[in-house]
């Protein structure tokens, strides 16, 4: 059985993190400007490719599509690194100690950040033309990372509501102060009411909203990635920061859900 004092300590840490996330730095605001310029500079073929990507990723919420990961491989990975060996299904993972979840999450975050750094450097080599490859790859990595984080905390990304939660995590990463506050309230309500969950689905205006907000959030980082060769440095930096933020958001928000569920179990 989990220690209540330890659970509440971790919950306080998450609440401090949430408070810190509500501060929008000047550079984050400035970073959203250049993509308006980038739209005018981007060749038509590249814009068309991005438009097709938006339509393709929109299917993720409805069916998961090709972006759903192999949950059995992830379960085996968790079983190998957890102090609890009796793990058969994703729901079983929810019963492992929180400390195991933290350890697994930290390890996953480090792995994904390293992968994104190499990926950004590779696709940054060719400038604007390989930027068309980089955007779908980094968003695919973000989706995969959040799904893995969901499973580590005992939540099944095959469930449509979990895919909604994952998209909201992406939105939270790129939102401003008001947006972050609204998303936190939506996610809190999601856990307490089916009606609230239905409302959140209706409020979610498809992947396109998330995609363009996310693209704008990359701002000046991706703008410099348009430069061939030099784009390697900027691409590596941008992708590293993006996945680091995505993973941190997913870890904190999923950990918060699991802590509340563990606290509820202690009260029963």
């Amino acid at each position: 059985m989990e220690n209540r004092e330890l659970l509440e300590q971790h919950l306080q840490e998450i609440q401090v993190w949430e408070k810190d996330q509500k501060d929008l730095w000047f550079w984050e605001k400035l970073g959203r400007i250049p993509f308006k310029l980038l739209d005018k500079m981007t060749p038509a073929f590249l814009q068309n490719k991005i438009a097709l990507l938006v339509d393709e990723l929109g299917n993720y919420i409805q069916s998961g599509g090709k972006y759903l990961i192999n949950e059995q491989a992830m379960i085996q990975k968790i079983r190998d690194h957890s102090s609890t060996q009796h793990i058969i299904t994703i729901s079983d993972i929810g019963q492992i100690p929180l400390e195991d979840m933290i350890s697994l999450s930290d390890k996953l975050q480090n792995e994904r950040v390293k992968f994104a750094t190499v990926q950004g450097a590779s696709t940054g080599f060719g400038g604007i033309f390989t930027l068309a490859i980089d955007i779908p790859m980094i968003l695919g990595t973000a989706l995969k990372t959040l799904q893995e984080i969901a499973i580590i905390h005992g939540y099944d990304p095959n469930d449509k509501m979990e895919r909604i939660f994952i998209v909201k995590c992406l939105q939270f990463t790129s939102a401003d102060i008001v947006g972050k506050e609204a998303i936190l309230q939506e996610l809190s309500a999601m856990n307490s009411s089916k009606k609230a969950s239905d409302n959140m689905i209706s409020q979610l205006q498809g992947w396109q909203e998330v995609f363009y907000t996310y693209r704008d959030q990359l701002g000046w980082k991706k703008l410099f990635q348009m430069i061939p060769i030099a784009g390697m440095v900027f691409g590596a930096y941008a992708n590293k920061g993006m996945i680091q933020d995505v993973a941190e958001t997913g870890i904190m928000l999923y950990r918060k859900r699991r802590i509340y569920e563990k606290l509820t179990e202690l009260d029963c």
Side-chain angles (χ1 to χ4, degrees):
M1 186 67 70
E2 300 280 351
N3 181 294
R4 174 178 290 276
E5 183 178 351
L6 185 60
L7 289 173
E8 291 178 344
Q9 178 182 329
H10 284 301
L11 185 58
Q12 288 175 0
E13 292 172 357
I14 294 170
Q15 291 167 345
V16 170
W17 174 84
E18 288 179 345
K19 184 178 180 181
D20 291 341
Q21 295 303 301
K22 295 173 186 177
D23 295 328
L24 185 65
W25 293 94
F26 169 76
W27 285 108
E28 288 178 323
K29 293 180 181 178
L30 184 63
R32 301 181 187 195
I33 297 173
F35 255 112
K36 295 178 182 179
L37 176 62
L38 179 58
D39 280 337
K40 297 179 181 179
M41 299 170 59
T42 304
F45 83 89
L46 182 56
Q47 293 206 30
N48 291 337
K49 192 165 186 177
I50 292 175
L52 290 173
L53 171 68
V54 173
D55 293 336
E56 179 185 340
L57 291 181
N59 295 327
Y60 172 73
I61 294 175
Q62 297 301 326
S63 65
K66 67 179 183 180
Y67 293 99
L68 278 177
I69 64 171
N70 184 340
E71 68 269 16
Q72 289 304 318
M74 193 63 194
I75 290 174
Q76 182 60 52
K77 184 176 181 180
I78 293 170
R79 188 186 297 122
D80 292 341
H81 292 85
S82 174
S83 58
T84 303
Q85 296 302 309
H86 186 68
I87 301 174
I88 306 299
T89 65
I90 292 178
S91 60
D92 293 334
I93 299 172
Q95 303 304 313
I96 71 175
L98 186 67
E99 295 302 317
D100 285 358
M101 295 178 181
I102 292 174
S103 176
L104 285 160
S105 297
D106 290 344
K107 186 174 185 297
L108 173 68
Q109 183 178 20
N110 290 333
E111 290 174 352
R112 291 289 168 256
V113 167
K114 289 178 181 177
F115 174 80
T117 303
V118 174
Q119 176 183 302
S122 301
T123 53
F125 182 82
I128 189 172
F129 297 101
T130 48
L131 188 61
I133 301 172
D134 182 61
I135 291 177
M137 285 182 67
I138 194 64
L139 286 175
T141 300
L143 284 174
K144 180 177 181 181
T145 301
L146 287 170
Q147 288 180 86
E148 290 172 325
I149 290 169
I151 293 175
I152 285 173
H153 292 84
Y155 300 101
D156 189 352
N158 287 295
D159 187 327
K160 182 178 179 180
M161 284 311 304
E162 289 307 325
R163 294 199 293 274
I164 294 288
F165 191 94
I166 284 170
V167 170
K168 283 294 178 180
C169 286
L170 284 173
Q171 284 184 298
F172 182 89
T173 306
S174 58
D176 58 17
I177 299 171
V178 176
K180 288 181 187 295
E181 181 66 33
I183 291 170
L184 286 176
Q185 292 177 358
E186 289 174 359
L187 295 181
S188 295
M190 175 183 174
N191 296 326
S192 60
S193 166
K194 183 181 184 304
K195 182 179 179 181
S197 299
D198 293 340
N199 288 339
M200 191 161 68
I201 294 176
S202 65
Q203 291 167 9
L204 190 62
Q205 298 173 2
W207 180 265
Q208 186 169 353
E209 171 194 347
V210 182
F211 176 83
Y212 284 112
T213 301
Y214 219 67
R215 189 193 66 168
D216 290 347
Q217 193 269 343
L218 290 174
W220 61 273
K221 304 171 188 175
K222 287 294 181 185
L223 184 63
F224 286 113
Q225 192 176 339
M226 291 171 56
I227 307 170
I229 311 299
M232 291 177 63
V233 177
F234 295 108
Y237 172 73
N239 287 14
K240 175 184 177 182
M242 181 176 181
I243 294 302
Q244 198 160 6
D245 290 345
V246 165
E248 183 179 86
T249 296
I251 288 169
M252 290 298 184
L253 296 182
Y254 268 110
R255 186 178 299 167
K256 180 181 180 182
R257 283 177 65 184
R258 182 51 65 190
I259 288 175
Y260 274 125
E261 291 193 18
K262 286 180 177 292
L263 287 172
T264 300
E265 290 173 3
L266 288 176
D267 291 334
C268 293

